[in-house]
Amino acid sequence: MTDTETRLKALMLRGLEGDAPAYRECLALLGVRLRAYFARRMAGAPGDVEDMVQETLLAVHIKRATWDSAQSFTAWAHAVARYKLIDHWRRRKIRQTLPIEDHAEFLAAEEHDPGVGLELDRALASLPDRQRILVSDVKLAGLSLAEAGARAGISEGAAKVALHRALKSLAERMRLADR
């Protein structure tokens, strides 16, 4: 469980028990992540980002009783945000797809701890060169798989497979490091 998940879940649980300041803090922290999440996906309509944040926060508030506290809060909130974004695109008749795996990006919108960069550098350094470059290009620089693959001299499909393997390897290393 990430620090973000732990913190947001604890605040939401306290909020559900009637702790109004904790609930406000939960929604404020969630709002930061939502802004980053929507800004990345709505680059062509930056004016709609704040509306989507508010619409999602309202949906979280209204549907808060449906959240199973035994489950991840951020995954549940991400699902709400994802459905709100899909609804927004449908209303605008925009055809887009959202990979279900982008939950990791939703969590990545948090404030950065200075030590995180060093941990990330060490984790990336443990990967083979091609995988390290793909992770850096796609996840940090924001390139598409096709662009990152072209830079690495491989097809988009091969880049997708290599990136998946790299992320799986990093996740396993992080899981073992948390023990």
Side-chain angles (χ1 to χ4, degrees):
M1 193 179 299
T2 67
D3 291 339
T4 301
E5 169 63 20
T6 303
R7 186 171 181 202
L8 282 171
K9 188 172 186 175
L11 289 169
M12 184 61 159
L13 287 170
R14 287 177 33 208
L16 290 172
E17 293 170 356
D19 185 342
Y23 188 61
R24 275 193 301 277
E25 185 178 353
C26 176
L27 293 179
L29 291 172
L30 185 58
V32 170
R33 281 143 191 83
L34 290 170
R35 276 180 197 83
Y37 175 78
F38 289 126
R40 282 190 301 272
R41 284 154 185 79
M42 300 174 68
D48 292 339
V49 170
E50 191 61 31
D51 290 342
M52 291 301 301
V53 170
Q54 295 305 315
E55 190 175 324
T56 304
L57 289 174
L58 181 60
V60 165
H61 175 72
I62 292 169
K63 299 289 186 183
R64 68 187 181 277
T66 67
W67 170 58
D68 178 358
S69 61
Q71 302 297 318
S72 166
F73 173 71
T74 53
W76 177 80
H78 171 258
V80 172
R82 187 172 184 270
Y83 288 123
K84 288 294 175 185
L85 183 57
I86 290 168
D87 289 345
H88 170 79
W89 285 339
R90 281 184 185 141
R91 284 190 304 268
R92 303 270 191 289
K93 296 185 179 9
I94 299 171
R95 294 190 54 89
Q96 288 282 350
T97 59
L98 285 176
I100 196 72
E101 302 86 28
D102 69 348
H103 179 68
E105 289 181 35
F106 185 73
L107 292 175
E110 65 186 278
E111 312 80 42
H112 295 286
D113 179 343
V116 170
L118 294 174
E119 291 175 33
L120 179 60
D121 289 342
R122 271 188 246 129
L124 286 174
S126 70
L127 293 173
D129 288 342
R130 180 175 284 170
Q131 288 182 349
R132 179 179 37 77
I133 291 167
L134 284 170
V135 170
S136 179
D137 285 351
V138 174
K139 296 300 182 180
L140 301 178
L143 296 180
S144 70
L145 280 169
E147 294 166 328
R151 286 185 64 183
I154 58 177
S155 70
E156 181 179 353
K160 185 175 184 177
V161 169
L163 179 64
H164 173 75
R165 288 178 180 158
L167 293 175
K168 186 176 179 182
S169 175
L170 284 174
E172 179 64 18
R173 285 188 179 113
M174 295 300 179
R175 189 183 63 74
L176 292 174
D178 283 344
R179 285 185 177 177

